[in-house]
Amino acid sequence: MFHDLHPFFADHPVLLAPMAGVTDEAFRTLCAEQGACLCYTEMVSSKALSYANEKTRHLLALAPGEELVAVQLFGHEPDTMAQQAAWVEEVLGERLAYLDINMGCPARKIAGKGDGSALMKNPELAAAIVRAVNKAARGPVTVKFRRGWTEGEETAVAFAREMERAGASAVTVHGRYAQQFYRGRADWGVIARVCEAVDIPVVGNGDVASGADAVRMREETGCAAVMIGRGAEGNPWIFAQARAALAGDSEPALPTPSERIAMARRHARLLAARDARAVVRMRKHAMWYTTGMPRAAEVRERFNHCSTVEEFDAAFDAVLDNVAEYEQWQRDHGYPVPWERAGA
């Protein structure tokens, strides 16, 4: 099995980050259509997989036509991680690009159990996990982590070197400390420092919200690929923007409110097709899709009570009514409509 990921990232420069409760097959479908070169699953518990937990195994379900995916596992027991890594490879076969190990999630319910970013406090255990998974897996193994655990104490460079020695084929660095959660700005300088310290590819992550951001991250850090997480929430178009910008091409126009609502309606239907109960996941997505639209706050309250596609459709109709009212007011008073001024 080919473990040098430099050529892979040269062909796959823009990635969708793993996000719990977000990057299910419905969202991955939309992001891939808009240009995400590779999408990650939601992070998957190795312990739950070892118990044959069907709810957890469902996280590995691929969308129709999804030919390649990265799977992120979390846990802190080397043997369990290794066993479940081998099982995931067996189940997904050639559709698995590589296995990623989560050593960056700062959530208390994860790190509090010794998983995720808590492993940055124990580099020896982290390395043992990578060695065990690497031995059990046929394909590449990568690691995602943060700038460090304690705010102000950067350990990412030393940690990256340790992961490389343990057999990681690539690392992804998020430019915040675990104790920061998502406060403040991501420091891209640490990504550059890790790039200089290791020979394996480094993926940059943190605060990429536009095509220009993707270009700036690559130029400032030298990273092999750019990973986008929260910037894609309610905005799968960011991948088309990033790919165009990285290629030196003109970026596509930003979507109009009508286009955003059309995407939201499709998203709701994809969720419902997956599982009628899963459509409640659309509540947070609906809020993201309508961010910045006129009178969005009042409609957000309505989203919180939607449980069916039909209820979401009615709420989206109300959003479009608000948009039309706003546009008319702007024109009546001689003001430009922002999205029309942007060429949409």
Side-chain angles (χ1 to χ4, degrees):
M1 179 66 72
F2 187 60
H3 284 242
D4 181 3
L5 289 179
H6 283 97
F8 180 87
F9 289 124
D11 292 333
H12 300 76
V14 185
L15 317 177
L16 170 63
M19 293 183 283
V22 177
T23 55
D24 54 29
E25 63 264 38
F27 189 59
R28 296 199 307 269
T29 294
L30 300 177
C31 291
E33 288 177 356
Q34 291 298 319
C37 302
L38 179 71
C39 299
Y40 282 59
T41 64
E42 302 174 62
M43 62 180 187
V44 180
S45 166
S46 61
K47 178 65 76 174
L49 285 180
S50 72
Y51 294 144
N53 184 297
E54 288 303 319
K55 183 177 180 181
T56 299
R57 289 187 172 186
H58 191 62
L59 298 176
L60 299 173
L62 301 190
E66 190 171 21
E67 297 179 355
L68 198 65
V69 70
V71 171
Q72 187 183 74
L73 292 175
F74 74 90
H76 63 271
E77 299 171 343
D79 289 345
T80 301
M81 290 283 284
Q83 291 164 7
Q84 298 314 309
W87 181 82
V88 170
E89 278 196 332
E90 180 181 350
V91 169
L92 294 183
E94 294 183 357
R95 295 174 296 176
L96 179 67
Y98 50 80
L99 285 159
D100 186 69
I101 302 174
N102 184 308
M103 298 188 185
C105 179
R108 290 182 177 86
K109 66 179 181 180
I110 303 296
K113 297 179 181 178
D115 303 330
S117 58
L119 288 166
M120 293 199 74
K121 297 188 291 183
N122 191 342
E124 294 79 12
L125 176 58
I129 291 171
V130 173
R131 285 193 296 269
V133 173
N134 205 36
K135 183 177 180 180
R138 298 186 302 274
V141 175
T142 68
V143 183
K144 186 174 187 292
F145 53 90
R146 287 189 162 223
R147 189 179 180 185
W149 170 267
T150 302
E151 197 162 351
E153 295 182 13
E154 183 175 298
T155 59
V157 168
F159 195 81
R161 288 175 174 152
E162 192 68 31
M163 297 306 99
E164 182 178 34
R165 284 192 291 268
S169 293
V171 295
T172 297
V173 182
H174 180 98
R176 286 182 177 85
Y177 297 103
Q179 289 185 341
Q180 276 184 270
F181 289 87
Y182 295 96
R183 290 183 290 103
R185 295 289 299 174
D187 184 305
W188 292 354
V190 67
I191 301 170
R193 290 187 284 277
V194 171
C195 286
E196 293 173 357
V198 298
D199 293 324
I200 56 177
V202 177
V203 177
N205 177 226
D207 294 347
V208 174
S210 67
D213 286 344
V215 170
R216 188 166 60 86
M217 174 180 275
R218 189 171 68 176
E219 290 178 346
E220 291 182 6
T221 70
C223 62
V226 173
M227 178 178 283
I228 302 174
R230 290 179 299 154
E233 293 174 342
N235 184 27
W237 299 273
I238 192 173
F239 294 101
Q241 299 281 332
R243 288 187 68 173
L246 288 169
D249 298 330
S250 298
E251 296 183 35
L254 295 174
T256 65
S258 294
E259 290 169 334
R260 288 161 63 183
I261 294 301
M263 182 72 80
R265 292 187 199 273
R266 179 152 178 256
H267 196 156
R269 281 161 174 76
L270 287 172
L271 283 169
R274 173 197 185 202
D275 179 351
R277 295 169 297 179
V279 77
V280 296
R281 278 192 167 199
M282 192 63 206
R283 293 173 180 174
K284 57 178 174 283
H285 289 285
M287 295 179 186
W288 293 328
Y289 279 114
T290 56
T291 295
M293 291 191 191
R295 295 163 60 186
E298 67 182 51
V299 182
R300 287 182 176 187
E301 180 61 29
R302 185 168 177 175
F303 289 146
N304 281 328
H305 297 91
C306 290
S307 300
T308 66
V309 168
E310 293 74 19
E311 289 171 348
F312 277 108
D313 274 339
F316 290 137
D317 287 342
V319 173
L320 290 178
D321 288 343
N322 291 341
V323 169
E325 182 180 322
Y326 167 82
E327 291 176 341
Q328 190 59 52
W329 189 93
Q330 292 288 101
R331 295 189 183 101
D332 289 346
H333 290 78
Y335 296 118
V337 176
W339 37 90
E340 291 182 347
R341 187 176 68 242

